[in-house]
Amino acid sequence: NDADDDYYGTASTNQQHEGGDEYTSAKKLVQRAADREALLKNLKPSASSLSADRSNSDVTNSLSTTSTQLGADFSSLKLKPDHISRPCWTCPDGTIYLEAFHEFYTKAYDFLVAISEPVARPEYVHEYKLTPYSLYAAVATNIDTESIVRVLNRFSKNEMPVGVAQFIRECTKRYGKAKLVLKHNKFYVESDYPAVLRELLRDDLISQARVAEETSGGDGTAGAGGDGAAGVNNAAAASNGSNKN
């Protein structure tokens, strides 16, 4: 009858309309994916990779890839022959991905927590990030620089990017070479490395706070004319509003 014809005609029109919407949405998704791939191909390799001849500050800034909104394509990373037996990927921007289902997950997890900061830990793949502060914390717990590089390379499925190893060394090479100690209600910067102290004394605030001190030798300090240490008076440090390590 006429009512049935109207009903089925309306239903058919609605289905065609919904089908058209689905087709349009799918077409938009395909176009969006194509645009994304085109943009990724236009990215220069140096945008997400670290250069071995840059300073520590430049290397640190390089770990924040310029393609944050688009992501980064690391499909060109060279895998090791036995990559299946290794639990994580080490990317040029300092990001580390760990397989949570891998047999060596527990060992790799303990190590990555000690040297990096967790970013995301979903069910199957965890993401970590190497940062200067995470590396400072690592060496503060007596994990030496070369051990970090060696163990990370051992866990990594791909060949470790040169820039990542350099970033680790740059962030940790100065740790522990100077320390701030309290003696007779005064703070002193002490070091066994004269070159480090000379570099510190090039700072105006530190050089003004330097004091002469008689020493018996062998304790890592020296008077105003020596290279062994720079004494920092606590009152001078307080008036200056800062102290440096």
Side-chain angles (χ1 to χ4, degrees):
N1 56 25
D2 294 339
D4 291 339
D5 291 341
D6 291 341
Y7 171 78
Y8 287 113
T10 303
S12 177
T13 301
N14 290 338
Q15 289 176 355
Q16 291 177 359
H17 181 68
E18 291 176 358
D21 290 343
E22 291 178 358
Y23 175 78
T24 301
S25 299
K27 189 175 180 180
K28 289 181 179 179
L29 289 175
V30 171
Q31 184 61 44
R32 188 182 302 172
D35 293 341
R36 178 187 175 90
E37 289 298 323
L39 288 171
L40 287 175
K41 289 181 180 179
N42 291 331
L43 291 176
K44 296 181 180 180
S46 59
S48 60
S49 300
L50 302 179
S51 175
D53 58 354
R54 283 179 285 181
S55 65
N56 186 27
S57 59
D58 292 335
V59 172
T60 303
N61 293 334
S62 298
L63 288 179
S64 299
T65 178
T66 58
S67 56
T68 302
Q69 295 181 349
L70 298 174
D73 183 5
F74 297 129
S75 60
S76 61
L77 292 176
K78 183 179 179 181
L79 292 175
K80 297 175 181 176
D82 59 344
H83 63 88
I84 295 178
S85 64
R86 301 171 188 262
C88 62
W89 289 267
T90 303
C91 301
D93 66 348
T95 302
I96 302 171
Y97 296 98
L98 172 64
E99 292 178 343
F101 52 86
H102 200 279
E103 60 178 325
F104 294 133
Y105 163 76
T106 302
K107 293 181 179 179
Y109 169 80
D110 291 340
F111 174 70
L112 292 179
V113 167
I115 69 165
S116 60
E117 297 182 5
V119 177
R121 289 189 282 193
E123 185 175 359
Y124 296 112
V125 179
H126 295 179
E127 180 182 354
Y128 297 84
K129 184 77 172 181
L130 289 172
T131 67
Y133 297 110
S134 69
L135 292 169
Y136 296 156
V139 293
T141 57
N142 295 324
I143 305 177
D144 65 273
T145 301
E146 294 309 314
S147 292
I148 296 174
V149 174
R150 184 175 62 256
V151 176
L152 182 58
N153 185 50
R154 184 184 304 166
F155 281 135
S156 181
K157 292 176 176 290
N158 59 289
E159 299 292 342
M160 182 183 292
V162 175
V164 173
Q166 186 221 1
F167 175 73
I168 293 172
R169 293 188 176 99
E170 286 290 332
C171 289
T172 58
K173 69 179 181 179
R174 297 194 179 200
Y175 180 85
K177 290 190 174 181
K179 58 184 178 180
L180 190 65
V181 298
L182 179 63
K183 290 185 178 180
H184 310 297
N185 293 324
K186 293 182 180 180
F187 287 102
Y188 294 87
V189 176
E190 294 184 352
S191 176
D192 294 329
Y193 302 89
V196 173
L197 291 169
R198 284 194 291 268
E199 183 176 350
L200 289 173
L201 286 171
R202 284 198 288 268
D203 184 275
D204 293 336
L205 294 178
I206 294 179
S207 62
Q208 291 173 9
R210 186 174 186 175
V211 297
E213 181 182 6
E214 295 295 333
T215 63
S216 58
D219 63 350
T221 62
D227 289 329
V232 181
N233 189 295
N234 56 354
S239 63
N240 289 331
S242 65
N243 54 53
K244 298 189 177 182
N245 240 329

